[in-house]
Each structure stands twice: as structure tokens, then as C-alpha cells.
Amino acid sequence: MENVLAGAQARPPLRKVSLEAIKAVWDGLSSHLAETLRSGKGMATDIGTFGYHMDYVDLGNQKKTQLTAVFELSEAFARHFHLRRRKQPAGLSSQIPVRKLNVMAISSKSAQPHETVRQVLKQL
């Protein structure tokens, strides 16, 4: 992970941003994503969408809902980097809300300025 963050720092838009700030933004992003998923919602990013697939399981005398974590790669991201998108057997459930990436929440969690967070996310 250190190599990825150091590689991002080497790009011209982030040369003036410290490695500690980049790590803080990464930790803030991870924390925000985990918090969103724990709340039972999904999150859409430029890379793809993190969310859940919902299955209804019939146990005979009762029915239960089973959630399975799913990541769907963005078609635009895959096309840009010439990646193949394999169809997953279970896609995202349309019944579970998906939020967009919240830069202000990540800025708050990472204690970094809004513009720094935006630059780091764009380069990562």
C-alpha cells in the first residue's frame, strides 16, 4: 500500500501534498466506506459500486433475508483502462440505497482540507 500512495504522491498534482496527508485521506475513505456499508447502504465511486445483493431464504416456517457484499466495476472505468468486466452471478440489489462518494465526510474523517481530499481521490 505504501508503494501505491507514494506513486500517487509522485504525480504532479500531488507533489505538494505530504505522504501523511495522502494516508489520512485513504484512511478517511476506508472509514467512510466501512461506515456506509455497516449502515446497510451501498456507495458509488468512480471505480465502481460497493453494495449488497439481497436473497430471500425460505427456511420452511420462516423467511429470512440474506445480504451478500458485492462490488461492481464501473463500465466507464473498465473501458478507460481496457479491463474486462466479468458478469457476476449476483448483482447489486435495487432495493438497497446507494450513496455517492461524500468528499465532505472524508474530509471530516481525515482532518484534511476539502480540496486536498478531492485532489487525492482524483489521483488514487
Side-chain angles (χ1 to χ4, degrees):
M1 192 60 185
E2 293 288 325
N3 293 339
V4 172
L5 298 178
Q9 185 186 26
R11 294 181 179 182
L14 295 182
R15 285 201 177 129
K16 294 180 181 178
V17 178
S18 71
L19 191 56
E20 290 76 27
I22 295 172
K23 286 179 186 178
V25 170
W26 183 258
D27 290 341
L29 171 64
S30 301
S31 174
H32 181 57
L33 177 60
E35 189 176 289
T36 302
L37 290 173
R38 272 191 222 110
S39 73
K41 296 175 177 63
M43 181 179 287
T45 66
D46 291 343
I47 299 170
T49 304
F50 298 87
Y52 291 101
H53 174 76
M54 189 180 328
D55 281 325
Y56 297 101
V57 181
D58 188 359
L59 301 175
N61 58 352
Q62 62 181 346
K63 293 183 180 181
K64 291 204 171 202
T65 304
Q66 178 180 356
L67 295 177
T68 305
V70 176
F71 173 74
E72 278 190 0
L73 186 64
S74 163
E75 187 175 329
F77 184 85
R79 204 174 324 124
H80 185 296
F81 290 101
H82 307 290
L83 301 172
R84 286 190 187 158
R85 289 181 56 201
R86 292 192 305 188
K87 220 33 170 164
Q88 295 187 5
L92 291 168
S93 174
S94 61
Q95 297 176 356
I96 297 175
V98 175
R99 296 180 175 172
K100 293 204 177 256
L101 188 66
N102 187 339
V103 176
M104 290 303 288
I106 296 168
S107 177
S108 173
K109 289 184 185 309
S110 65
Q112 298 298 317
H114 180 266
E115 193 53 41
T116 301
V117 172
R118 188 175 296 285
Q119 285 179 331
V120 170
L121 292 177
K122 186 175 180 179
Q123 294 303 312
L124 286 178

